[in-house]
Amino acid sequence: MENDLQVVCNANKLAKLVKKKQKKQNWLDYYQIKYSKNPSKRPMMKVRLFSLLLVLFSCIGKANTVGLHNLLDQQTGFLGLWGAKVDAIEHHETEIKKLSDEIAEERKNVMDDPKAILPVAFVSFKTRWGAAVAAQTQQVRNPTLWLTEWAPEPRDVYWKNLAIPYVSLTVRKVIMGVAFFFLTFFYVIPIAFVQSLANIEGIEKAVPFLKPLINIKLIKSFIQGFLPGIVLKIFLKLLPKILMMMSKFEGFLSISRLERRCASRYYLFKFVNVFLGSIIAGAAFEQLSTFLNQPASRIPETIGIAIPMKATFFITYIMVDGWSGTAGEILRLKRLIIYHLKNIFLVKTERDREKAMNPGSIGFNTGEPQIQFYFLIGLVYAVVTPLLIPFILVFFGLAFIVYRHQVINVYNPKYESRAAFWPDVHGRVITALIISQVLLMGLLSTKHAAASTPVLLALPVLTMGFHIYCKGRFEPAFTRYPLQEAINKDTLDRVKEPNLSLNLKGYLEHAYIHPVFKDDGSDDHYEDGTPMVPTKRHTRPEPSRTNEEEILQEKHKP
């Protein structure tokens, strides 16, 4: 039943050395190309004079020019603005040789040192049935002694986190949970300040000397209409990077799992800070005296009044963030500007150019929760303020056209996760329905329609019952593989493709090897070099492409 076992080694230090060598090699290619264009002049670079003198005195009396250049790695002048000049090609060739020796030594240490072997392994099987049994059953009596689960596909593995001890994962998750709570809490402060900007009277009271400037019609319209949404967008731009760092610290083993955790927290953050924060904080700034002087029993009524009051803000938010964001997605102005900046300051070789032109992936950790947040706004305000519905419909219509085009024709998928996002998406849709139903009941209770509130209690109950049914009926299809289906597909493969296991053998032998041990990038190819899944789009045609290759690429084009 077992086909192959691939033990994982801790190669994080080796990966850093390889990355450093790649940067040096890139600089060497750049200087060699520069020299080939003008052979009469050797390219030079600067090193700090004081450090150069120290190296010279240390090497004096020795015929050790290699040692001299080895010590120059950390001696390059700051941004190349000052220092003594040295030959750039010789300098980088020496550095690459030194790094190659270090990489060879580290590679030997990783392969020979038993301590470098991690308690992690990837096991492949000859049949789907064998893999399903091993992945979905408890192997030993102690459930923490030997854990088995479905492995992510090779491109989806996040290799750095494989070295994290299992016993520390729970502690890491608790720490990041507390950190996320405080992150969500402290972000309320700038969100509340942004909401206060929508009130001109509040600004005039806080900074009365700006009253003549604020009363100018154009500035007043800008402050009330667009400034809150723009400032809020800037605050939220930094959030995904923070959430991704937190997810990596938690120790998830796949990129898709990292993005799923980021998506869940990003949605929760936007719900608490943008939605609830906009409603509650806005009402608190505008009706502070009312909150302080009224009994606690009337606070729900005040919040119920505040929900329709914030419809204008959310209409503006949809236009500023949703419409313009969708238009920016199809124009990709930011990526275009970044590419030209890289092309001017960072691109040195064709490898750099290809990297700068890479469109990347769609970014499920931000795009998916953002669309679901608009779905939540639409559900809440569909009954409260129907005027908002056309704005939401326009957004979803544009988003469907734009993102469908981008997924098919622009982005390169980083991995295949077997629809692992869908249970989270379904859960957030149900959550949005329940939130809209509860807020509708609270609003009707403030409109002298309390008699209808008990009838509406059936809505969240029925919605939760539907969610429980779907969770029990359909969620196992996303987390477990039925043995019946596995046996049927194994039998079908033996009849239709008897040599399939032989074709996959070469792929599986090297698929789950750490990328630093791969020299030819064969992680996504069969034995004959044919790509497993042709997902990468070429930004420009290859110069030596034959007609047969062009026809083959057209067949694989989606």
Side-chain angles (χ1 to χ4, degrees):
M1 183 172 65
E2 182 180 322
N3 184 39
D4 190 25
L5 174 67
Q6 295 177 354
V7 179
V8 180
C9 298
N10 186 357
N12 290 342
K13 182 179 178 182
L14 179 61
K16 292 180 180 179
L17 291 173
V18 171
K19 186 176 181 180
K20 187 176 179 181
K21 179 184 175 182
Q22 290 173 350
K23 291 181 179 179
K24 294 288 185 182
Q25 183 64 50
N26 213 32
W27 276 106
L28 177 61
D29 294 343
Y30 164 70
Y31 285 118
Q32 287 177 338
I33 293 172
K34 185 177 180 181
Y35 179 63
S36 65
K37 293 179 180 179
N38 186 12
S40 62
K41 183 179 180 181
R42 296 280 295 184
M44 308 294 290
M45 62 181 297
K46 293 182 179 180
V47 297
R48 289 197 294 266
L49 182 59
F50 179 72
S51 301
L52 181 61
L53 290 175
L54 290 179
V55 176
L56 285 172
F57 280 118
S58 65
C59 296
I60 193 168
K62 301 178 182 178
N64 188 6
T65 57
V66 174
L68 170 62
H69 287 290
N70 286 346
L71 293 175
L72 286 177
D73 180 39
Q74 305 298 327
Q75 316 301 333
T76 53
F78 177 72
L79 297 179
L81 297 179
W82 62 77
K85 290 185 177 181
V86 296
D87 189 288
I89 295 178
E90 291 183 1
H91 174 75
H92 285 94
E93 286 178 345
T94 304
E95 293 304 319
I96 290 173
K97 184 179 183 304
K98 184 187 75 171
L99 287 171
S100 299
D101 295 339
E102 292 180 3
I103 289 172
E105 183 179 356
E106 180 63 23
R107 186 191 296 264
K108 183 179 179 181
N109 293 336
V110 170
M111 300 300 293
D112 297 341
D113 188 2
K115 295 182 179 179
I117 299 177
L118 300 174
V120 182
F122 293 96
V123 185
S124 59
F125 295 82
K126 295 181 179 179
T127 62
R128 295 180 179 87
W129 180 86
V133 171
Q136 298 171 175
T137 56
Q138 183 174 321
Q139 307 301 320
V140 294
R141 181 177 299 176
N142 184 356
T144 63
L145 185 61
W146 189 0
L147 301 175
T148 57
E149 60 181 13
W150 287 105
E153 68 141 327
R155 295 177 301 170
D156 194 19
V157 178
Y158 189 68
W159 295 94
K160 290 183 180 180
N161 282 356
L162 292 177
I164 298 176
Y166 175 76
V167 293
S168 67
L169 293 179
T170 304
V171 178
R172 286 169 173 261
K173 290 179 180 179
V174 171
I175 293 174
M176 287 300 100
V178 175
F180 178 70
F181 171 79
F182 282 103
L183 176 67
T184 306
F185 175 78
F186 283 112
Y187 250 74
V188 172
I189 298 174
I191 297 296
F193 173 72
V194 168
Q195 291 309 307
S196 68
L197 292 176
N199 191 331
I200 294 293
E201 291 76 14
I203 297 177
E204 291 178 348
K205 290 179 181 178
V207 282
F209 59 88
L210 293 179
K211 185 175 181 179
L213 181 65
I214 293 173
N215 288 331
I216 298 175
K217 186 177 181 180
L218 180 62
I219 296 178
K220 186 175 183 179
S221 301
F222 177 77
I223 292 176
Q224 288 182 321
F226 290 96
L227 186 59
I230 293 174
V231 177
L232 183 61
K233 183 73 173 178
I234 294 173
F235 279 129
L236 294 177
K237 274 293 183 182
L238 301 174
L239 182 64
K241 298 184 182 298
I242 299 173
L243 295 179
M244 181 57 74
M245 291 172 59
M246 295 171 64
S247 299
K248 289 178 179 179
F249 182 81
E250 285 188 71
F252 294 109
L253 303 181
S254 65
I255 300 173
S256 61
R257 190 67 185 90
L258 290 172
E259 293 195 346
R260 284 164 55 197
R261 172 53 66 93
C262 286
S264 299
R265 285 182 168 170
Y266 190 66
Y267 180 81
L268 180 60
F269 181 92
K270 295 195 76 168
F271 170 71
V272 173
N273 286 284
V274 180
F275 185 75
L276 293 182
S278 298
I279 294 174
I280 299 173
F285 272 82
E286 296 168 4
Q287 305 179 32
L288 183 59
S289 60
T290 306
F291 272 109
L292 295 177
N293 298 325
Q294 71 181 358
S297 59
R298 296 197 61 188
I299 292 179
E301 181 179 353
T302 305
I303 297 177
I305 296 172
I307 292 176
M309 288 174 58
K310 286 300 169 185
T312 304
F313 167 76
F314 283 113
I315 290 175
T316 305
Y317 182 77
I318 291 170
M319 290 191 296
V320 172
D321 185 78
W323 291 6
S324 63
T326 307
E329 176 63 34
I330 193 65
L331 293 175
R332 292 177 62 84
L333 288 176
K334 184 179 74 171
R335 297 289 300 184
L336 180 64
I337 293 172
I338 291 175
Y339 164 72
H340 283 293
L341 291 175
K342 287 182 176 180
N343 195 29
I344 294 172
F345 298 106
L346 299 179
V347 172
K348 301 178 289 295
T349 63
E350 283 299 317
R351 190 187 301 113
D352 285 342
R353 194 181 306 279
E354 286 292 329
K355 188 176 180 181
M357 293 180 67
N358 182 18
S361 62
I362 192 171
F364 287 105
N365 58 320
T366 55
E368 179 262 321
Q370 182 182 20
I371 292 175
Q372 288 198 288
F373 179 70
Y374 289 118
F375 185 75
L376 168 66
I377 295 175
L379 287 177
V380 170
Y381 281 94
V383 179
V384 176
T385 310
L387 181 64
L388 187 139
I389 295 178
F391 295 90
I392 282 288
L393 291 179
V394 170
F395 165 75
F396 278 112
L398 291 174
F400 172 76
I401 297 172
V402 170
Y403 282 103
R404 184 176 183 272
H405 172 271
Q406 302 297 85
V407 169
I408 294 175
N409 300 313
V410 178
Y411 290 117
N412 291 323
K414 291 191 295 186
Y415 54 80
E416 296 292 339
S417 61
R418 304 186 302 274
F421 275 84
W422 177 246
D424 297 338
V425 172
H426 180 268
R428 285 192 280 273
V429 169
I430 296 296
T431 302
L433 281 170
I434 294 176
I435 290 170
S436 64
Q437 293 160 0
V438 171
L439 291 179
L440 177 61
M441 287 190 292
L443 179 63
L444 291 179
S445 66
T446 66
K447 302 297 182 182
H448 307 289
S452 62
T453 303
V455 180
L456 295 176
L457 285 174
L459 289 178
V461 174
L462 292 175
T463 304
M464 183 57 68
F466 175 73
H467 175 60
I468 293 173
Y469 167 76
C470 291
K471 190 176 180 65
R473 173 62 181 84
F474 300 108
E475 188 177 19
F478 296 92
T479 58
R480 293 189 291 273
Y481 192 56
L483 296 181
Q484 180 185 13
E485 187 75 14
I487 293 175
N488 292 339
K489 289 191 174 183
D490 287 336
T491 304
L492 192 64
D493 285 343
R494 283 195 293 269
V495 173
K496 289 189 173 183
E497 299 182 69
N499 296 324
L500 179 62
S501 60
L502 297 177
N503 294 335
L504 288 173
K505 184 177 180 181
Y507 165 74
L508 292 173
E509 283 180 353
H510 305 284
Y512 288 99
I513 296 177
H514 197 288
V516 297
F517 295 110
K518 297 180 181 180
D519 298 327
D520 56 354
S522 59
D523 56 324
D524 57 349
H525 290 72
Y526 288 109
E527 279 186 322
D528 59 356
T530 306
M532 293 284 292
V533 182
T535 56
K536 182 116 181 241
R537 298 175 179 85
H538 293 286
T539 56
R540 58 179 61 187
E542 297 293 336
S544 60
R545 180 172 297 164
T546 62
N547 293 334
E548 183 180 355
E549 289 173 335
E550 291 177 356
I551 294 172
L552 182 62
Q553 187 185 21
E554 289 296 323
K555 288 182 179 179
H556 284 306
K557 190 176 295 183

